[in-house]
Amino acid sequence: MPPKFDEMAKVRVRHKSEPMEGYVVAIQEKDGRWIYKISHPDQDDLEESWDNWVPEEWLEEVK
């Protein structure tokens, strides 16, 4: 199955903290599922840092 999101797609990451919006900058298949590297505006804030590689199920498209 192909990845759900393309590179440079605007997405919202839904996980433990508040949702964050960003852009897909890389896609990789790992352990039979797609993971995405996300660029988001809060990268310089150490309190908001998190692993940029996230699984597809954490993402939703931003229109």
Side-chain angles (χ1 to χ4, degrees):
M1 183 149 74
K4 184 175 179 180
F5 303 99
D6 295 323
E7 284 190 21
M8 297 312 297
K10 188 170 184 180
V11 294
R12 182 174 298 117
V13 179
R14 300 176 326 253
H15 192 54
K16 297 175 185 174
S17 62
E18 296 183 21
M20 292 185 202
E21 292 183 4
Y23 292 90
V24 174
V25 295
I27 304 168
Q28 184 177 38
E29 188 175 5
K30 183 176 181 182
D31 299 328
R33 67 180 185 167
W34 295 106
I35 60 172
Y36 299 81
K37 187 170 187 176
I38 307 299
S39 172
H40 62 90
D42 299 324
Q43 285 180 321
D44 295 328
D45 183 348
L46 294 178
E47 291 185 2
E48 292 295 327
S49 65
W50 50 284
D51 189 351
N52 282 335
W53 287 97
V54 298
E56 190 170 81
E57 59 268 17
W58 290 7
L59 300 177
E60 64 184 25
E61 184 177 9
V62 174
K63 297 181 181 185

